[in-house]
Amino acid sequence: DESSGYESESAGGERAAAAGPGGTRGRQRRARTAFTSEQVCRLEKTFQRQKYLGASERRKLAAALQLSEVQIKTWFQNRRMKLKRQM
């Protein structure tokens, strides 16, 4: 499921097997997203204006950056935590 954030995908787009190198079974975490510098720049600019995004704003930003809404939501959560740690 694209929006669940659990199954991992390799760079080629194929799904990872259910059992990892350690032999554990169950849901896999999605591979870490490598944001482009343009995406990070746009995310940071948006964050400077608005610390929280509503659903419609998140949807528009996700479409503009070609990311999923879950990725946008997670990025903002992580960025708010980073700001909190810095204060």
Side-chain angles (χ1 to χ4, degrees), residues 35 39 42-43 46 53-73 76:
F35 294 101
Q39 288 171 328
R42 176 83 181 267
L43 287 163
T46 305
L53 292 181
S56 63
E57 296 155 328
R58 187 170 57 240
R59 196 174 306 112
K60 288 177 189 173
L61 187 57
L65 296 179
Q66 297 180 332
L67 296 168
S68 72
E69 290 182 49
V70 173
Q71 288 171 315
I72 299 293
K73 182 178 179 178
F76 268 79

Side-chain angles (χ1 to χ4, degrees), residues 1-75:
D1 178 13
E2 181 78 16
S3 64
S4 71
Y6 284 107
E7 288 188 42
S8 78
E9 266 185 38
S10 68
E14 62 268 358
R15 302 277 180 193
T24 58
R25 298 193 68 68
R27 292 184 177 202
Q28 292 290 313
R29 295 182 65 169
R30 182 174 294 280
R32 184 179 178 116
T33 302
F35 294 101
T36 65
S37 56
E38 291 83 13
Q39 288 171 328
V40 172
C41 184
R42 176 83 181 267
L43 287 163
E44 287 287 352
K45 283 181 182 178
T46 305
F47 184 78
Q48 293 305 317
R49 285 185 274 113
Q50 249 178 305
K51 304 295 185 254
Y52 293 86
L53 292 181
S56 63
E57 296 155 328
R58 187 170 57 240
R59 196 174 306 112
K60 288 177 189 173
L61 187 57
L65 296 179
Q66 297 180 332
L67 296 168
S68 72
E69 290 182 49
V70 173
Q71 288 171 315
I72 299 293
K73 182 178 179 178
T74 303
W75 188 92

